[in-house]
């Protein structure tokens, strides 16, 4: 494994349209120890689990069944 001790800044602005395109692509998983801020749209093609409070500040669209526990 490689380690970096400081901030990593990537200036490539290539748009992502799939899991294999964009300024950064990762073949394996990604672990993030602090906040994640996304400036554009998000797309999840698998299960999306949230452990904690969730706030939706705009419209929520659901295409299939919803199960609330």
């Amino acid at each position: 494994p490689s380690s970096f001790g400081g901030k990593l800044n990537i200036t490539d602005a290539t748009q992502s349209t799939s899991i294999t395109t964009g300024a950064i692509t990762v073949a394996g998983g990604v672990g993030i120890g602090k906040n994640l801020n996304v400036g554009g749209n998000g797309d999840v093609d698998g299960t999306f689990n949230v452990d904690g409070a969730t706030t939706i500040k705009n419209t929520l669209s659901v295409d299939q069944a919803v199960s609330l526990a």
Side-chain angles (χ1 to χ4, degrees):
S2 297
S3 296
F4 298 93
K7 177 181 168 183
L8 175 63
N9 184 26
I10 298 171
T11 58
D12 185 323
T14 302
Q15 178 66 281
S16 178
T17 57
S18 71
I19 62 170
T20 59
T21 62
I24 300 174
T25 61
V26 179
V30 176
I32 299 173
K34 297 219 179 208
N35 294 352
L36 171 65
N37 295 284
V38 178
N41 295 331
D43 182 20
V44 177
D45 289 334
T47 301
F48 185 69
N49 297 307
V50 177
D51 294 326
T54 303
T55 301
I56 299 170
K57 294 185 178 183
N58 207 322
T59 303
L60 172 64
S61 298
V62 178
D63 291 337
Q64 293 185 14
V66 174
S67 177
L68 302 174

